[in-house]
């Protein structure tokens, strides 16, 4: 019998976790839950940034502000590269060494909740300075992603959105209009390509993080608005297969060959310093583009509109801050979470990242309207013009299936070693199995 990589990894993780809990129980004489303590509310706490590097500078500023207001608390900052976050958390859960507070996105929240790493924050939110000050849809996203009924395991801090960035100067020179539709997108990709002069219409993400970008293009073109049809995913529907064939067919024809290995850092750097017409990323790269190109040479729009006349996009993860059960200073850790999600700090962080704030007061700040791409993204998500396909973040295996298990497969697709149908059928089979297992455990 063949056992999938995801199943093997989950089994190994479960065995490791059981062993750790048993050791903890023997050492502490309790049930092995590793529940930690409230602590004194003073002293040192450790914070893991789940996008260390790009967001280090703004976190340093927020931490400095926090320590000034709370001189009896010191925050030890640990930057974790975004590509390594889940593996770092999984390792720490199995072997110890979790932080007091950590950045947690909904893409891997369910995996951490299933391992009992995080503490629900419902009671702490009640009566806190954050009560009634968080965007309802983001609170619902983190609640739903955890898969534990009404329990909330992360305080939302920001929402991102997919953006099609395009070089306004190159479009103007070529006499092209903005790529508002998928038809316009493909026309521009062809017309802006002159491979002999190292000019390309588009850069496609083939390295880490490639699946989310591909799914946005697939559902955006097909117009399918639901991820599930009963207990089966729509991922490998014929319309999606046709959409992926067309999208993957851009590789090396209207994109650089190096794209097959590019993660977002390399992809963004390549776009900012070269002559490539379009880039699919999210609001988070706005500052990089502004610094490299200046505001006059680029613009960003939400996902192009499909043949149905409707804009369809997949849901983007909501980022947040989690309080770890094992913390021995939860009082101080919660003070930091409250401060980081407050109006001033949340606005400061999201303005730096170009993302949509979770704090309702921060969401009304003037800088949002002044940043066109963020304003358009926020409008698309709130005015009813966009259909959002909710990805199953609540599945503990979602992050493994959509990353480690299938990113290498996507590279095979780009290189012509497998077909779009083979790629989508494989991923759909894994998701159907994960959803069945999740349901049989009494969820859903």
């Amino acid at each position: 019998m063949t056992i999938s990589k995801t199943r093997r990894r989950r089994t190994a993780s479960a065995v490791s976790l059981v062993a750790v809990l048993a050791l903890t129980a023997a050492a502490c004489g309790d049930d092995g839950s590793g529940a930690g303590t409230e602590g004194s509310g003073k002293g040192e706490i450790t914070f893991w940034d789940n996008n260390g590097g790009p967001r280090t500078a703004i976190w340093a500023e927020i931490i400095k502000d926090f320590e000034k207001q709370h001189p009896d608390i010191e925050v030890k900052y640990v930057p974790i590269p975004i590509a390594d976050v889940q593996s770092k958390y999984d390792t720490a859960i199995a072997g110890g060494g979790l932080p007091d507070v950590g950045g947690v996105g909904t893409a891997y929240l369910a995996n951490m909740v299933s391992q009992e790493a995080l503490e629900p924050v419902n009671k702490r939110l009640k009566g806190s300075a954050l009560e009634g000050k968080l965007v309802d849809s983001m609170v619902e996203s983190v609640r739903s992603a955890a898969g534990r009924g009404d329990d909330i395991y992360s305080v939302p801090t920001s929402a991102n959105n997919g953006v099609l960035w395009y070089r306004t100067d190159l479009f103007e020179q070529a006499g092209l209009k903005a790529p508002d539709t998928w038809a316009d997108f493909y026309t521009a990709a062809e017309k802006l390509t002159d491979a002999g002069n190292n000019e390309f219409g588009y850069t496609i993400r083939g390295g880490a993080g490639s699946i989310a970008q591909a799914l946005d293009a697939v559902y955006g073109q097909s117009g399918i608005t639901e991820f599930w049809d009963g207990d089966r995913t729509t991922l490998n529907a014929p319309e999606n297969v046709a959409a992926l064939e067309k999208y993957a067919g851009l590789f090396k024809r209207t994109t650089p060959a190096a794209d097959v290995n590019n993660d977002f850092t390399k992809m963004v750097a390549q776009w900012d310093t070269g002559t490539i017409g379009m880039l699919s990323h999210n609001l988070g790269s706005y500052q990089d583009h502004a610094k490299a190109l200046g505001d006059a040479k680029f613009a960003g729009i939400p996902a192009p509109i499909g043949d149905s006349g409707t804009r369809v996009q997949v849901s983007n993860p909501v980022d947040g801050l989690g309080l770890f059960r094992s913390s021995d200073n939860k009082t101080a850790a919660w003070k930091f979470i409250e401060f980081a999600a407050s109006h001033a700090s949340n606005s400061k962080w999201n303005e730096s990242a170009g993302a949509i704030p979770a704090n309702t007061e921060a969401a009304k700040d003037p800088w949002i309207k002044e940043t066109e791409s963020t304003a358009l993204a926020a409008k698309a998500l709130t005015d009813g013009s966009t259909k959002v396909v909710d990805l199953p973040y609540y599945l503990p295996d979602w992050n493994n299936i959509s990353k480690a298990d299938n990113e290498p497969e996507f590279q095979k697709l780009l290189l012509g070693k497998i077909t779009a149908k083979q790629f989508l059928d494989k991923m759909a089979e894994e998701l159907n199995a994960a959803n069945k297992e999740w349901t049989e455990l009494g969820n859903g």
Side-chain angles (χ1 to χ4, degrees):
M1 181 178 69
T2 301
I3 302 175
S4 71
K5 287 188 292 181
T6 299
R7 185 68 58 83
R8 289 198 302 268
R9 186 162 44 237
R10 186 168 61 247
T11 301
S13 177
V15 170
S16 297
L17 183 61
V18 169
V20 171
L21 292 180
L23 287 172
T24 306
C28 302
D30 60 13
D31 64 357
S33 63
T37 64
E38 289 299 311
S40 65
K42 301 178 181 179
E44 182 181 271
I45 58 170
T46 299
F47 165 56
W48 282 13
D49 175 8
N50 59 340
N51 194 4
R55 303 290 171 249
T56 295
I58 188 62
W59 273 120
E61 192 175 331
I62 291 170
I63 289 169
K64 183 179 179 182
D65 292 342
F66 173 77
E67 291 179 339
K68 185 176 181 180
Q69 186 171 317
H70 298 275
D72 51 358
I73 302 175
E74 181 182 350
V75 179
K76 180 182 177 183
Y77 171 82
V78 180
I80 309 294
I82 193 168
D84 300 334
V85 171
Q86 183 168 342
S87 63
K88 291 285 187 183
Y89 278 137
D90 284 344
T91 299
I93 290 169
L98 283 167
D100 300 280
V101 180
V104 180
T106 48
Y108 47 91
L109 177 62
N111 176 63
M112 296 177 67
V113 170
S114 70
Q115 298 184 74
E116 307 296 341
L118 295 168
E119 179 164 303
V121 295
N122 307 55
K123 291 180 180 179
R124 294 178 193 272
L125 280 169
K126 233 171 216 185
S128 77
L130 297 176
E131 186 176 18
K133 297 293 179 66
L134 298 173
V135 175
D136 288 341
S137 61
M138 295 193 203
V139 173
E140 173 57 24
S141 289
V142 297
R143 187 205 63 76
S144 175
R148 289 283 183 90
D150 291 332
D151 282 342
I152 299 170
Y153 287 85
S154 171
V155 174
T157 53
S158 68
N160 218 320
N161 199 62
V163 178
L164 179 61
W165 301 105
Y166 67 101
R167 288 282 299 271
T168 51
D169 56 340
L170 300 182
F171 270 69
E172 186 177 345
Q173 291 167 21
L176 291 165
K177 60 180 180 178
D180 292 320
T181 69
W182 280 103
D184 294 336
F185 166 82
Y186 282 107
T187 296
E190 296 282 353
K191 192 165 184 179
L192 293 172
T193 297
D194 182 355
N197 288 317
N198 203 35
E199 297 173 359
F200 298 94
Y202 185 60
T203 173
I204 196 168
R205 188 169 181 172
S210 59
I211 305 296
Q213 179 178 306
L215 294 188
D216 230 0
V218 165
Y219 280 96
Q221 292 175 81
S222 74
I224 295 173
T225 58
E226 297 291 340
F227 192 80
W228 298 105
D229 182 6
D231 59 357
R232 310 285 294 177
T233 179
T234 59
L235 185 62
N236 58 339
E239 301 93 325
N240 282 344
V241 172
L244 184 58
E245 284 175 346
K246 190 171 185 180
Y247 180 72
L250 294 174
F251 176 64
K252 282 179 69 173
R253 193 163 54 80
T254 64
T255 79
D259 281 358
V260 71
N261 293 312
N262 281 357
D263 58 12
F264 91 92
T265 304
K266 293 175 183 175
M267 183 178 66
V268 167
Q270 177 179 257
W271 194 72
D272 286 345
T273 58
T275 51
I276 300 173
M278 296 176 290
L279 158 76
S280 295
H281 191 229
N282 56 48
L283 293 167
S285 57
Y286 169 78
Q287 297 292 350
D288 294 313
H289 309 324
K291 183 178 180 181
L293 301 169
D295 288 332
K297 289 187 177 181
F298 78 99
I301 59 172
I305 296 170
D307 292 341
S308 65
T310 301
R311 175 179 285 114
V312 178
Q313 65 177 63
V314 298
S315 57
N316 276 261
V318 171
D319 208 17
L321 295 171
L323 176 64
F324 284 84
R325 286 174 57 105
S326 58
S327 171
D328 283 326
N329 202 349
K330 292 176 186 176
T331 301
W334 178 251
K335 287 179 183 177
F336 178 68
I337 291 174
E338 273 191 303
F339 184 87
S342 67
H343 178 182
S345 298
N346 194 237
S347 184
K348 185 182 293 188
W349 190 96
N350 281 280
E351 183 175 11
S352 172
I356 303 169
N359 186 290
T360 54
E361 294 173 330
K364 297 173 185 176
D365 283 350
W367 65 265
I368 293 179
K369 291 182 180 178
E370 293 167 4
T371 309
E372 183 185 24
S373 53
T374 304
L376 287 173
K379 184 175 184 293
L381 292 177
T382 58
D383 69 359
S385 64
T386 301
K387 300 294 184 183
V388 178
V389 179
D390 289 317
L391 298 179
Y393 298 127
Y394 57 84
L395 294 177
D397 286 337
W398 166 254
N399 218 39
N400 286 324
I401 291 172
S402 64
K403 290 184 177 293
D405 287 358
N406 284 293
E407 285 175 349
E409 298 299 308
F410 187 71
Q411 290 180 317
K412 291 180 185 178
L413 170 62
L414 294 181
L415 295 170
K417 295 180 179 179
I418 60 173
T419 66
K421 186 175 188 307
Q422 288 172 325
F423 172 79
L424 291 176
D425 280 348
K426 175 184 179 294
M427 191 169 170
E429 182 182 353
E430 293 169 358
L431 286 165
N432 289 335
N435 189 57
K436 181 181 179 182
E437 182 177 351
W438 185 78
T439 304
E440 288 174 347
L441 289 173
N443 301 299

